[in-house]
Amino acid sequence: DGGITQSPKYLFRKEGQNVTLSCEQNLNHDAMYWYRQDPGQGLRLIYYSQIVNDFQKGDIAEGYSVSREKKESFPLTVTSAQKNPTAFYLCASSTYDREKLSNYGYTFGSGTRLTVV
Amino acid sequence: GNSVTQMEGPVTLSEEAFLTINCTYTATGYPSLFWYVQYPGEGLQLLLKATKADDKGSNKGFEATYRKETTSFHLEKGSVQVSDSAVYFCALSPTPGTASKLTFGTGTRLQVTL
């Protein structure tokens, strides 16, 4: 079955370390996204990519980096510059139909919970 | 800019009660509107969507109608079950025809008791 796989499910980071969260999709979607979820704050966009080898900053990109070398993969690195990285991270992908002018919405992964220890 | 406003939770209901979760939006052009559901410890699942004014999205007994005149997309269900307990997010996609970004509301937690 097609879907998005995020790994690991739980991740612990020491102060000063960089960590990378994996996101892989086999839906043949063009666009991929990373969101951060904190209690009571909904979802905030970190980075997104509409095509391979291209990506844009979202609303809270500071302290994060991404790459999009393959259509299927969009890894997120949480760097030591991110001062408060403890959160739930969600990856998503989407497609659209230009002919029908219809956006088919997002498919989400099951998330990675990152904790700083 | 674009924004989505949801009623604050938690919403606590008894099983078989009627559910309404309010959602209003601000956007230019012709946004698409979505409701997502998140069960504890999981990602978001698309519950329903509507892509133009007066469209009604429906799934699993939930419904929402795209009201352009009131810029609303309220979620309703006639008879909730304990298994409906989750967090519900309203969202909009502002630009038809592009892989555009979703803007989310802050989410509304629903608790259904026996």
Tab-separated table of all heavy atoms in Angstrom, chain A residues 31-93:
chain	number	residue	atom	x	y	z
A	31	ALA	N	4.978	17.162	-4.048
A	31	ALA	CA	5.293	18.077	-2.949
A	31	ALA	C	5.423	17.327	-1.632
A	31	ALA	O	4.697	16.367	-1.373
A	31	ALA	CB	4.209	19.141	-2.825
A	32	MET	N	6.359	17.800	-0.814
A	32	MET	CA	6.532	17.242	0.526
A	32	MET	C	6.735	18.373	1.516
A	32	MET	O	7.205	19.464	1.146
A	32	MET	CB	7.714	16.259	0.561
A	32	MET	CG	7.489	15.041	-0.331
A	32	MET	SD	8.774	13.791	-0.184
A	32	MET	CE	8.366	13.053	1.421
A	33	TYR	N	6.391	18.100	2.782
A	33	TYR	CA	6.332	19.157	3.793
A	33	TYR	C	6.802	18.611	5.141
A	33	TYR	O	6.597	17.434	5.449
A	33	TYR	CB	4.889	19.653	3.967
A	33	TYR	CG	4.163	19.975	2.695
A	33	TYR	CD1	3.624	18.966	1.902
A	33	TYR	CD2	3.995	21.293	2.265
A	33	TYR	CE1	2.942	19.251	0.729
A	33	TYR	CE2	3.309	21.584	1.100
A	33	TYR	CZ	2.786	20.569	0.335
A	33	TYR	OH	2.116	20.859	-0.823
A	34	TRP	N	7.310	19.495	5.982
A	34	TRP	CA	7.575	19.175	7.378
A	34	TRP	C	6.839	20.169	8.270
A	34	TRP	O	6.925	21.390	8.075
A	34	TRP	CB	9.068	19.252	7.696
A	34	TRP	CG	9.808	17.998	7.381
A	34	TRP	CD1	10.631	17.765	6.325
A	34	TRP	CD2	9.794	16.789	8.153
A	34	TRP	NE1	11.126	16.491	6.386
A	34	TRP	CE2	10.632	15.865	7.502
A	34	TRP	CE3	9.156	16.400	9.334
A	34	TRP	CZ2	10.861	14.576	7.977
A	34	TRP	CZ3	9.377	15.119	9.812
A	34	TRP	CH2	10.221	14.230	9.146
A	35	TYR	N	6.129	19.605	9.255
A	35	TYR	CA	5.411	20.400	10.234
A	35	TYR	C	5.912	20.057	11.630
A	35	TYR	O	6.296	18.919	11.901
A	35	TYR	CB	3.902	20.118	10.197
A	35	TYR	CG	3.182	20.764	9.049
A	35	TYR	CD1	3.057	20.105	7.831
A	35	TYR	CD2	2.621	22.031	9.175
A	35	TYR	CE1	2.379	20.699	6.770
A	35	TYR	CE2	1.943	22.625	8.124
A	35	TYR	CZ	1.830	21.957	6.926
A	35	TYR	OH	1.172	22.547	5.885
A	36	ARG	N	5.807	21.040	12.484
A	36	ARG	CA	6.093	20.832	13.894
A	36	ARG	C	4.791	21.024	14.658
A	36	ARG	O	4.043	21.977	14.386
A	36	ARG	CB	7.141	21.833	14.362
A	36	ARG	CG	7.346	21.859	15.863
A	36	ARG	CD	8.427	22.835	16.268
A	36	ARG	NE	8.418	22.987	17.721
A	36	ARG	CZ	9.510	23.128	18.453
A	36	ARG	NH1	10.695	23.183	17.878
A	36	ARG	NH2	9.423	23.246	19.761
A	37	GLN	N	4.537	20.136	15.624
A	37	GLN	CA	3.321	20.231	16.421
A	37	GLN	C	3.690	20.323	17.894
A	37	GLN	O	4.376	19.463	18.440
A	37	GLN	CB	2.413	19.017	16.190
A	37	GLN	CG	1.072	19.132	16.888
A	37	GLN	CD	0.157	17.966	16.595
A	37	GLN	OE1	0.588	16.892	16.196
A	37	GLN	NE2	-1.145	18.162	16.779
A	38	ASP	N	3.235	21.397	18.530
A	38	ASP	CA	3.393	21.586	19.963
A	38	ASP	C	2.010	21.622	20.597
A	38	ASP	O	1.046	22.054	19.959
A	38	ASP	CB	4.131	22.903	20.249
A	38	ASP	CG	5.547	22.890	19.735
A	38	ASP	OD1	6.383	22.263	20.404
A	38	ASP	OD2	5.814	23.477	18.665
A	39	PRO	N	1.898	21.215	21.842
A	39	PRO	CA	0.573	21.185	22.495
A	39	PRO	C	-0.113	22.539	22.438
A	39	PRO	O	0.469	23.562	22.794
A	39	PRO	CB	0.919	20.780	23.937
A	39	PRO	CG	2.204	20.037	23.826
A	39	PRO	CD	2.965	20.714	22.730
A	40	GLY	N	-1.355	22.542	21.989
A	40	GLY	CA	-2.161	23.760	21.982
A	40	GLY	C	-1.799	24.762	20.912
A	40	GLY	O	-2.370	25.854	20.867
A	41	GLN	N	-0.844	24.411	20.025
A	41	GLN	CA	-0.431	25.389	19.003
A	41	GLN	C	-0.715	24.926	17.588
A	41	GLN	O	-0.318	25.572	16.643
A	41	GLN	CB	1.063	25.686	19.130
A	41	GLN	CG	1.424	26.410	20.406
A	41	GLN	CD	2.825	26.972	20.358
A	41	GLN	OE1	3.236	27.522	19.334
A	41	GLN	NE2	3.565	26.837	21.443
A	42	GLY	N	-1.364	23.824	17.402
A	42	GLY	CA	-1.634	23.366	16.049
A	42	GLY	C	-0.354	22.974	15.337
A	42	GLY	O	0.644	22.611	15.964
A	43	LEU	N	-0.368	23.053	14.021
A	43	LEU	CA	0.777	22.660	13.203
A	43	LEU	C	1.425	23.891	12.590
A	43	LEU	O	0.738	24.755	12.041
A	43	LEU	CB	0.332	21.730	12.079
A	43	LEU	CG	0.130	20.256	12.423
A	43	LEU	CD1	-1.120	20.057	13.247
A	43	LEU	CD2	0.064	19.424	11.152
A	44	ARG	N	2.744	23.929	12.663
A	44	ARG	CA	3.481	25.036	12.047
A	44	ARG	C	4.438	24.483	10.994
A	44	ARG	O	5.144	23.511	11.231
A	44	ARG	CB	4.244	25.811	13.123
A	44	ARG	CG	3.318	26.554	14.096
A	44	ARG	CD	4.112	27.352	15.113
A	44	ARG	NE	4.800	26.495	16.066
A	44	ARG	CZ	5.723	26.915	16.919
A	44	ARG	NH1	6.083	28.198	16.924
A	44	ARG	NH2	6.275	26.078	17.768
A	45	LEU	N	4.488	25.144	9.858
A	45	LEU	CA	5.265	24.673	8.713
A	45	LEU	C	6.731	25.036	8.878
A	45	LEU	O	7.071	26.200	9.090
A	45	LEU	CB	4.710	25.273	7.436
A	45	LEU	CG	5.359	24.844	6.133
A	45	LEU	CD1	5.143	23.355	5.888
A	45	LEU	CD2	4.802	25.660	4.969
A	46	ILE	N	7.607	24.030	8.733
A	46	ILE	CA	9.046	24.251	8.864
A	46	ILE	C	9.667	24.481	7.487
A	46	ILE	O	10.291	25.512	7.238
A	46	ILE	CB	9.719	23.045	9.542
A	46	ILE	CG1	9.093	22.759	10.902
A	46	ILE	CG2	11.220	23.301	9.702
A	46	ILE	CD1	9.587	21.463	11.537
A	47	TYR	N	9.535	23.512	6.594
A	47	TYR	CA	10.040	23.594	5.222
A	47	TYR	C	9.068	22.848	4.311
A	47	TYR	O	8.343	21.961	4.738
A	47	TYR	CB	11.410	22.912	5.099
A	47	TYR	CG	12.608	23.794	5.312
A	47	TYR	CD1	13.260	23.833	6.547
A	47	TYR	CD2	13.112	24.568	4.269
A	47	TYR	CE1	14.373	24.639	6.740
A	47	TYR	CE2	14.229	25.371	4.460
A	47	TYR	CZ	14.860	25.399	5.697
A	47	TYR	OH	15.974	26.188	5.886
A	48	TYR	N	9.113	23.217	3.034
A	48	TYR	CA	8.379	22.448	2.060
A	48	TYR	C	9.142	22.420	0.740
A	48	TYR	O	9.987	23.279	0.464
A	48	TYR	CB	6.955	22.978	1.863
A	48	TYR	CG	6.851	24.354	1.260
A	48	TYR	CD1	6.498	24.532	-0.069
A	48	TYR	CD2	7.062	25.488	2.036
A	48	TYR	CE1	6.377	25.790	-0.622
A	48	TYR	CE2	6.945	26.755	1.499
A	48	TYR	CZ	6.595	26.907	0.178
A	48	TYR	OH	6.470	28.169	-0.367
A	49	SER	N	8.797	21.406	-0.068
A	49	SER	CA	9.466	21.214	-1.353
A	49	SER	C	8.414	20.826	-2.373
A	49	SER	O	7.666	19.877	-2.165
A	49	SER	CB	10.513	20.107	-1.234
A	49	SER	OG	10.965	19.701	-2.511
A	50	GLN	N	8.371	21.557	-3.468
A	50	GLN	CA	7.379	21.257	-4.506
A	50	GLN	C	7.963	20.411	-5.631
A	50	GLN	O	7.224	19.858	-6.444
A	50	GLN	CB	6.808	22.551	-5.069
A	50	GLN	CG	6.026	23.335	-4.025
A	50	GLN	CD	5.209	24.468	-4.639
A	50	GLN	OE1	5.256	24.700	-5.829
A	50	GLN	NE2	4.467	25.171	-3.819
A	51	ILE	N	9.301	20.315	-5.683
A	51	ILE	CA	9.942	19.565	-6.743
A	51	ILE	C	11.330	19.157	-6.270
A	51	ILE	O	11.902	19.793	-5.366
A	51	ILE	CB	10.024	20.424	-8.029
A	51	ILE	CG1	10.328	19.571	-9.242
A	51	ILE	CG2	11.010	21.560	-7.862
A	51	ILE	CD1	10.167	20.326	-10.549
A	52	VAL	N	11.863	18.116	-6.874
A	52	VAL	CA	13.192	17.636	-6.501
A	52	VAL	C	14.218	18.746	-6.640
A	52	VAL	O	14.151	19.560	-7.568
A	52	VAL	CB	13.572	16.415	-7.376
A	52	VAL	CG1	15.009	15.985	-7.104
A	52	VAL	CG2	12.629	15.254	-7.102
A	53	ASN	N	15.156	18.776	-5.711
A	53	ASN	CA	16.264	19.737	-5.685
A	53	ASN	C	15.822	21.181	-5.455
A	53	ASN	O	16.587	22.122	-5.763
A	53	ASN	CB	17.108	19.652	-6.966
A	53	ASN	CG	17.866	18.347	-7.062
A	53	ASN	OD1	18.341	17.820	-6.059
A	53	ASN	ND2	17.962	17.805	-8.265
A	54	ASP	N	14.645	21.345	-4.942
A	54	ASP	CA	14.163	22.689	-4.603
A	54	ASP	C	13.338	22.625	-3.329
A	54	ASP	O	12.543	21.693	-3.149
A	54	ASP	CB	13.319	23.250	-5.746
A	54	ASP	CG	12.935	24.700	-5.491
A	54	ASP	OD1	13.828	25.500	-5.146
A	54	ASP	OD2	11.749	25.029	-5.613
A	55	PHE	N	13.519	23.609	-2.440
A	55	PHE	CA	12.713	23.660	-1.227
A	55	PHE	C	12.662	25.108	-0.739
A	55	PHE	O	13.517	25.934	-1.102
A	55	PHE	CB	13.265	22.736	-0.137
A	55	PHE	CG	14.739	22.852	0.117
A	55	PHE	CD1	15.237	23.842	0.954
A	55	PHE	CD2	15.637	21.969	-0.473
A	55	PHE	CE1	16.595	23.943	1.201
A	55	PHE	CE2	16.989	22.060	-0.239
A	55	PHE	CZ	17.474	23.057	0.597
A	56	GLN	N	11.656	25.394	0.063
A	56	GLN	CA	11.450	26.745	0.581
A	56	GLN	C	11.245	26.711	2.086
A	56	GLN	O	10.723	25.734	2.638
A	56	GLN	CB	10.220	27.411	-0.050
A	56	GLN	CG	10.406	27.874	-1.481
A	56	GLN	CD	10.285	26.740	-2.452
A	56	GLN	OE1	9.431	25.901	-2.324
A	56	GLN	NE2	11.163	26.726	-3.458
A	57	LYS	N	11.629	27.793	2.737
A	57	LYS	CA	11.397	27.923	4.172
A	57	LYS	C	9.914	28.137	4.450
A	57	LYS	O	9.223	28.837	3.705
A	57	LYS	CB	12.197	29.100	4.730
A	57	LYS	CG	13.693	28.907	4.681
A	57	LYS	CD	14.417	30.102	5.293
A	57	LYS	CE	15.911	29.889	5.262
A	57	LYS	NZ	16.647	31.049	5.852
A	58	GLY	N	9.491	27.539	5.546
A	58	GLY	CA	8.146	27.791	6.033
A	58	GLY	C	8.176	28.887	7.083
A	58	GLY	O	9.016	29.782	7.051
A	59	ASP	N	7.277	28.772	8.048
A	59	ASP	CA	7.130	29.829	9.041
A	59	ASP	C	8.163	29.771	10.169
A	59	ASP	O	8.428	30.777	10.824
A	59	ASP	CB	5.722	29.743	9.651
A	59	ASP	CG	4.645	29.878	8.590
A	59	ASP	OD1	4.788	30.757	7.717
A	59	ASP	OD2	3.675	29.099	8.618
A	60	ILE	N	8.743	28.583	10.406
A	60	ILE	CA	9.653	28.432	11.545
A	60	ILE	C	10.907	27.650	11.132
A	60	ILE	O	11.299	26.696	11.779
A	60	ILE	CB	8.947	27.745	12.742
A	60	ILE	CG1	8.341	26.403	12.326
A	60	ILE	CG2	7.865	28.640	13.326
A	60	ILE	CD1	7.956	25.528	13.498
A	61	ALA	N	11.584	28.063	10.083
A	61	ALA	CA	12.705	27.303	9.514
A	61	ALA	C	14.008	27.415	10.315
A	61	ALA	O	14.907	26.586	10.152
A	61	ALA	CB	12.945	27.757	8.086
A	62	GLU	N	14.143	28.399	11.170
A	62	GLU	CA	15.415	28.624	11.865
A	62	GLU	C	15.783	27.426	12.730
A	62	GLU	O	14.988	26.938	13.533
A	62	GLU	CB	15.333	29.873	12.744
A	62	GLU	CG	16.651	30.228	13.391
A	62	GLU	CD	16.600	31.530	14.159
A	62	GLU	OE1	15.577	32.245	14.060
A	62	GLU	OE2	17.570	31.832	14.875
A	63	GLY	N	17.033	26.944	12.548
A	63	GLY	CA	17.502	25.804	13.318
A	63	GLY	C	17.233	24.463	12.667
A	63	GLY	O	17.555	23.426	13.244
A	64	TYR	N	16.659	24.484	11.471
A	64	TYR	CA	16.358	23.263	10.726
A	64	TYR	C	16.987	23.336	9.340
A	64	TYR	O	17.211	24.418	8.809
A	64	TYR	CB	14.846	23.080	10.555
A	64	TYR	CG	14.065	22.970	11.836
A	64	TYR	CD1	13.431	24.090	12.378
A	64	TYR	CD2	13.933	21.754	12.494
A	64	TYR	CE1	12.700	24.002	13.552
A	64	TYR	CE2	13.198	21.663	13.662
A	64	TYR	CZ	12.579	22.776	14.190
A	64	TYR	OH	11.850	22.676	15.350
A	65	SER	N	17.249	22.159	8.756
A	65	SER	CA	17.676	22.099	7.360
A	65	SER	C	17.053	20.870	6.711
A	65	SER	O	16.692	19.900	7.389
A	65	SER	CB	19.198	22.052	7.239
A	65	SER	OG	19.705	20.848	7.784
A	66	VAL	N	16.907	20.930	5.374
A	66	VAL	CA	16.307	19.820	4.621
A	66	VAL	C	17.077	19.609	3.324
A	66	VAL	O	17.894	20.446	2.917
A	66	VAL	CB	14.822	20.093	4.271
A	66	VAL	CG1	13.961	20.129	5.518
A	66	VAL	CG2	14.677	21.377	3.460
A	67	SER	N	16.797	18.492	2.678
A	67	SER	CA	17.293	18.225	1.333
A	67	SER	C	16.204	17.489	0.566
A	67	SER	O	15.347	16.841	1.160
A	67	SER	CB	18.577	17.403	1.365
A	67	SER	OG	18.337	16.126	1.945
A	68	ARG	N	16.244	17.599	-0.759
A	68	ARG	CA	15.263	16.877	-1.593
A	68	ARG	C	16.009	16.379	-2.835
A	68	ARG	O	15.857	16.881	-3.942
A	68	ARG	CB	14.116	17.799	-1.984
A	68	ARG	CG	12.994	17.067	-2.725
A	68	ARG	CD	12.022	16.423	-1.814
A	68	ARG	NE	11.035	15.577	-2.458
A	68	ARG	CZ	9.917	16.005	-3.040
A	68	ARG	NH1	9.637	17.308	-3.084
A	68	ARG	NH2	9.072	15.145	-3.578
A	69	GLU	N	16.816	15.350	-2.620
A	69	GLU	CA	17.617	14.781	-3.707
A	69	GLU	C	16.827	13.767	-4.524
A	69	GLU	O	17.166	13.482	-5.681
A	69	GLU	CB	18.883	14.162	-3.140
A	69	GLU	CG	19.794	15.183	-2.461
A	69	GLU	CD	21.009	14.547	-1.821
A	69	GLU	OE1	21.159	13.308	-1.922
A	69	GLU	OE2	21.806	15.284	-1.222
A	70	LYS	N	15.809	13.199	-3.923
A	70	LYS	CA	14.951	12.234	-4.599
A	70	LYS	C	13.487	12.608	-4.377
A	70	LYS	O	13.142	13.166	-3.333
A	70	LYS	CB	15.191	10.821	-4.066
A	70	LYS	CG	16.574	10.286	-4.244
A	70	LYS	CD	16.654	8.823	-3.801
A	70	LYS	CE	16.276	8.659	-2.352
A	70	LYS	NZ	16.405	7.236	-1.912
A	71	LYS	N	12.651	12.258	-5.312
A	71	LYS	CA	11.232	12.587	-5.195
A	71	LYS	C	10.621	11.928	-3.962
A	71	LYS	O	9.729	12.484	-3.323
A	71	LYS	CB	10.496	12.120	-6.444
A	71	LYS	CG	9.057	12.575	-6.549
A	71	LYS	CD	8.457	12.154	-7.876
A	71	LYS	CE	7.053	12.711	-8.040
A	71	LYS	NZ	6.462	12.333	-9.343
A	72	GLU	N	11.122	10.738	-3.619
A	72	GLU	CA	10.511	9.955	-2.553
A	72	GLU	C	10.930	10.382	-1.154
A	72	GLU	O	10.323	9.975	-0.172
A	72	GLU	CB	10.876	8.477	-2.731
A	72	GLU	CG	10.465	7.870	-4.055
A	72	GLU	CD	11.419	8.206	-5.186
A	72	GLU	OE1	12.562	8.618	-4.915
A	72	GLU	OE2	11.005	8.077	-6.361
A	73	SER	N	11.994	11.149	-1.035
A	73	SER	CA	12.608	11.356	0.267
A	73	SER	C	12.764	12.836	0.599
A	73	SER	O	13.175	13.645	-0.260
A	73	SER	CB	13.979	10.677	0.262
A	73	SER	OG	14.636	10.862	1.495
A	74	PHE	N	12.508	13.199	1.867
A	74	PHE	CA	12.609	14.592	2.296
A	74	PHE	C	13.057	14.611	3.757
A	74	PHE	O	12.285	14.902	4.660
A	74	PHE	CB	11.256	15.277	2.118
A	74	PHE	CG	11.259	16.778	2.272
A	74	PHE	CD1	12.262	17.549	1.701
A	74	PHE	CD2	10.233	17.428	2.950
A	74	PHE	CE1	12.253	18.934	1.801
A	74	PHE	CE2	10.205	18.813	3.059
A	74	PHE	CZ	11.225	19.559	2.484
A	75	PRO	N	14.331	14.324	4.023
A	75	PRO	CA	14.801	14.269	5.416
A	75	PRO	C	14.925	15.652	6.049
A	75	PRO	O	15.258	16.629	5.369
A	75	PRO	CB	16.171	13.595	5.290
A	75	PRO	CG	16.602	13.882	3.886
A	75	PRO	CD	15.360	13.930	3.062
A	76	LEU	N	14.667	15.708	7.338
A	76	LEU	CA	14.758	16.949	8.113
A	76	LEU	C	15.867	16.808	9.144
A	76	LEU	O	15.882	15.843	9.923
A	76	LEU	CB	13.434	17.216	8.829
A	76	LEU	CG	13.411	18.387	9.820
A	76	LEU	CD1	13.416	19.719	9.068
A	76	LEU	CD2	12.181	18.310	10.727
A	77	THR	N	16.800	17.755	9.173
A	77	THR	CA	17.846	17.787	10.192
A	77	THR	C	17.532	18.878	11.197
A	77	THR	O	17.310	20.039	10.817
A	77	THR	CB	19.223	18.015	9.569
A	77	THR	OG1	19.542	16.908	8.717
A	77	THR	CG2	20.300	18.118	10.650
A	78	VAL	N	17.490	18.487	12.450
A	78	VAL	CA	17.309	19.441	13.544
A	78	VAL	C	18.700	19.760	14.066
A	78	VAL	O	19.386	18.877	14.598
A	78	VAL	CB	16.426	18.851	14.655
A	78	VAL	CG1	16.168	19.885	15.735
A	78	VAL	CG2	15.111	18.331	14.067
A	79	THR	N	19.146	20.974	13.878
A	79	THR	CA	20.511	21.317	14.232
A	79	THR	C	20.595	21.812	15.676
A	79	THR	O	19.577	22.103	16.322
A	79	THR	CB	21.063	22.396	13.290
A	79	THR	OG1	20.469	23.657	13.627
A	79	THR	CG2	20.783	22.058	11.835
A	80	SER	N	21.821	21.966	16.150
A	80	SER	CA	22.029	22.456	17.510
A	80	SER	C	21.581	23.904	17.663
A	80	SER	O	21.428	24.399	18.779
A	80	SER	CB	23.500	22.314	17.893
A	80	SER	OG	24.311	23.003	16.970
A	81	ALA	N	21.348	24.581	16.548
A	81	ALA	CA	20.890	25.968	16.595
A	81	ALA	C	19.415	26.082	16.962
A	81	ALA	O	18.938	27.167	17.308
A	81	ALA	CB	21.123	26.640	15.235
A	82	GLN	N	18.703	24.970	16.888
A	82	GLN	CA	17.286	24.968	17.269
A	82	GLN	C	17.228	24.859	18.788
A	82	GLN	O	17.560	23.822	19.365
A	82	GLN	CB	16.547	23.815	16.594
A	82	GLN	CG	15.119	23.558	17.067
A	82	GLN	CD	14.233	24.784	17.117
A	82	GLN	OE1	13.702	25.131	18.158
A	82	GLN	NE2	14.087	25.454	15.996
A	83	LYS	N	16.785	25.938	19.446
A	83	LYS	CA	16.899	26.024	20.900
A	83	LYS	C	15.862	25.233	21.661
A	83	LYS	O	16.052	24.892	22.824
A	83	LYS	CB	16.822	27.503	21.317
A	83	LYS	CG	17.963	28.340	20.762
A	83	LYS	CD	19.316	27.745	21.101
A	83	LYS	CE	20.440	28.572	20.517
A	83	LYS	NZ	21.765	27.902	20.697
A	84	ASN	N	14.750	24.961	21.036
A	84	ASN	CA	13.695	24.234	21.731
A	84	ASN	C	13.135	23.151	20.809
A	84	ASN	O	12.011	23.278	20.315
A	84	ASN	CB	12.596	25.209	22.149
A	84	ASN	CG	11.514	24.528	22.969
A	84	ASN	OD1	11.748	23.488	23.575
A	84	ASN	ND2	10.321	25.103	22.967
A	85	PRO	N	13.891	22.095	20.544
A	85	PRO	CA	13.484	21.130	19.525
A	85	PRO	C	12.496	20.077	19.996
A	85	PRO	O	11.969	19.337	19.165
A	85	PRO	CB	14.805	20.462	19.145
A	85	PRO	CG	15.621	20.541	20.385
A	85	PRO	CD	15.240	21.830	21.055
A	86	THR	N	12.230	19.989	21.283
A	86	THR	CA	11.308	18.956	21.763
A	86	THR	C	9.919	19.215	21.207
A	86	THR	O	9.303	20.246	21.499
A	86	THR	CB	11.278	18.941	23.300
A	86	THR	OG1	12.561	18.557	23.794
A	86	THR	CG2	10.222	17.976	23.812
A	87	ALA	N	9.424	18.276	20.396
A	87	ALA	CA	8.128	18.443	19.732
A	87	ALA	C	7.802	17.162	18.983
A	87	ALA	O	8.605	16.233	18.911
A	87	ALA	CB	8.151	19.623	18.761
A	88	PHE	N	6.614	17.171	18.402
A	88	PHE	CA	6.161	16.090	17.527
A	88	PHE	C	6.294	16.602	16.095
A	88	PHE	O	5.778	17.669	15.765
A	88	PHE	CB	4.705	15.754	17.869
A	88	PHE	CG	4.166	14.515	17.221
A	88	PHE	CD1	4.831	13.310	17.328
A	88	PHE	CD2	2.969	14.543	16.523
A	88	PHE	CE1	4.329	12.155	16.750
A	88	PHE	CE2	2.451	13.394	15.948
A	88	PHE	CZ	3.131	12.203	16.059
A	89	TYR	N	7.015	15.851	15.243
A	89	TYR	CA	7.280	16.296	13.882
A	89	TYR	C	6.505	15.439	12.889
A	89	TYR	O	6.574	14.201	12.926
A	89	TYR	CB	8.785	16.212	13.579
A	89	TYR	CG	9.577	17.234	14.347
A	89	TYR	CD1	10.022	16.958	15.643
A	89	TYR	CD2	9.862	18.490	13.809
A	89	TYR	CE1	10.739	17.905	16.364
A	89	TYR	CE2	10.570	19.437	14.530
A	89	TYR	CZ	11.001	19.134	15.805
A	89	TYR	OH	11.697	20.071	16.522
A	90	LEU	N	5.801	16.105	12.015
A	90	LEU	CA	4.981	15.418	11.018
A	90	LEU	C	5.451	15.753	9.610
A	90	LEU	O	5.650	16.916	9.267
A	90	LEU	CB	3.513	15.824	11.165
A	90	LEU	CG	2.788	15.213	12.366
A	90	LEU	CD1	1.507	15.972	12.639
A	90	LEU	CD2	2.487	13.751	12.101
A	91	CYS	N	5.596	14.721	8.809
A	91	CYS	CA	5.917	14.866	7.391
A	91	CYS	C	4.646	14.623	6.590
A	91	CYS	O	3.794	13.812	6.984
A	91	CYS	CB	6.988	13.849	7.015
A	91	CYS	SG	7.493	13.896	5.287
A	92	ALA	N	4.514	15.317	5.473
A	92	ALA	CA	3.333	15.155	4.636
A	92	ALA	C	3.722	15.281	3.171
A	92	ALA	O	4.790	15.807	2.835
A	92	ALA	CB	2.281	16.203	4.994
A	93	SER	N	2.858	14.792	2.307
A	93	SER	CA	3.047	14.973	0.868
A	93	SER	C	1.706	15.277	0.230
A	93	SER	O	0.654	15.028	0.828
A	93	SER	CB	3.672	13.724	0.238
A	93	SER	OG	2.765	12.639	0.291
